[in-house]
Amino acid sequence: MKFYLLIIIISAILDIIANLLLKKSEGFKFKIWGISAIVCAILAFFLLSFSLKYIPLSIAYSTWGAIGILGTCLGGWILYKEKLNKIGLIGVVVVIIAVILLNS
Amino acid sequence: MKLKKEVLTAWFFLIGAIVFEVIGTSFLKMENKIFGYVFMSLFIAFSYFLMGLAVRKIQVGIAYAVWELLGMVLILLVSFLLFNESLTNYQILGILLSIIGIIMINLGEVKEK
């Protein structure tokens, strides 16, 4: 696997964690969760910046966004038993092909 | 009427969050790394704060999808216009496919009540 892709994947995972924490803070009613979310997000972008040595911002950001969506689907499926219908599953395949193309 | 106004405000928060996030991400391209990181951190922190306020009235799934799509489109514009980045045909196809794929995933979410 290309090194920068690993950086982007870890950064996307951090962003997914940030989003889950943000959900937990319920609009900053619980400040600790909200602040943890912000810390995770800043770390995610900090990591993402290292990939810019190897690839353009447009590619880095698109890959990051696509992996973020895949991770959110997986997280929703594992944690909350959220399911996808056929259109959604085809969407997952399309996004995976997109990530491969972006980094080809 | 009161509820409508609240929802509208939430959408303003969401769009604000996206704009701040894109500006923050763009700072990563700054020559001066330290300034870049400082500005990025400030903008990202404020962006997530706005996002937190937005998801009080907008469903997280919808907010996340709008965020991802608008963010991607804006970053592409910034990359092309400000940073003169060029892409191969495969990469352009990849970006289009990821946008289509994200829309499909959001359409394909099974909502159980």
Side-chain angles (χ1 to χ4, degrees):
Chain A
M1 192 199 286
K2 293 168 189 163
F3 175 62
Y4 70 80
L5 204 53
L6 190 69
I7 297 177
I8 293 177
I9 290 170
I10 297 169
S11 165
I13 291 170
L14 268 173
D15 188 56
I16 294 162
I17 295 170
N19 284 316
L20 292 174
L21 287 171
L22 201 61
K23 200 173 174 179
K24 237 177 136 74
S25 87
E26 288 175 31
F28 287 89
K29 212 162 71 188
F30 304 104
K31 289 207 172 48
I32 294 172
W33 294 121
I35 290 164
S36 322
I38 288 175
V39 171
C40 276
I42 290 173
L43 270 176
F45 280 87
F46 186 70
L47 252 179
L48 186 67
S49 79
F50 291 115
S51 72
L52 299 182
K53 269 185 212 157
Y54 310 94
I55 45 165
L57 181 62
S58 45
I59 304 287
Y61 195 85
S62 309
T63 309
W64 179 79
I67 293 171
I69 284 279
L70 292 179
T72 310
C73 283
L74 198 66
W77 182 53
I78 294 168
L79 293 176
Y80 307 114
K81 301 269 177 287
E82 287 173 356
K83 284 175 188 144
L84 289 172
N85 64 20
K86 269 181 198 149
I87 297 172
L89 289 175
I90 297 168
V92 170
V93 176
V94 172
V95 168
I96 292 170
I97 295 169
V99 171
I100 295 168
L101 276 177
L102 277 170
N103 296 285
S104 59
Chain B
M1 270 320 270
K2 202 184 166 222
L3 187 96
K4 262 191 179 167
K5 207 174 172 184
E6 279 176 352
V7 173
L8 206 65
T9 320
W11 278 98
F12 268 117
F13 284 142
L14 180 60
I15 290 166
I18 295 166
V19 171
F20 273 93
E21 195 235 358
V22 168
I23 297 171
T25 309
S26 305
F27 274 121
L28 293 177
K29 290 279 281 191
M30 254 177 106
E31 287 294 320
N32 188 326
K33 285 278 170 241
I34 294 165
F35 271 119
Y37 285 134
V38 169
F39 281 123
M40 178 276 283
S41 306
L42 287 175
F43 276 85
I44 297 300
F46 193 60
S47 166
Y48 269 74
F49 178 69
L50 287 178
M51 182 72 168
L53 295 178
V55 294
R56 278 204 279 213
K57 288 284 177 286
I58 303 170
Q59 275 183 35
V60 180
I62 294 171
Y64 195 71
V66 173
W67 162 289
E68 205 81 55
L69 282 174
L70 267 183
M72 207 183 274
V73 171
L74 285 175
I75 281 285
L76 284 177
L77 281 179
V78 169
S79 303
F80 286 126
L81 297 180
L82 291 184
F83 306 133
N84 299 313
E85 290 181 353
S86 56
L87 300 174
T88 65
N89 289 339
Y90 281 128
Q91 289 169 332
I92 293 169
L93 187 65
I95 289 169
L96 283 177
L97 278 182
S98 61
I99 292 171
I100 294 168
I102 291 169
I103 294 172
M104 287 177 79
I105 290 174
N106 283 284
L107 288 177
E109 262 177 11
V110 178
K111 291 181 181 70
E112 282 173 70
K113 276 228 161 170

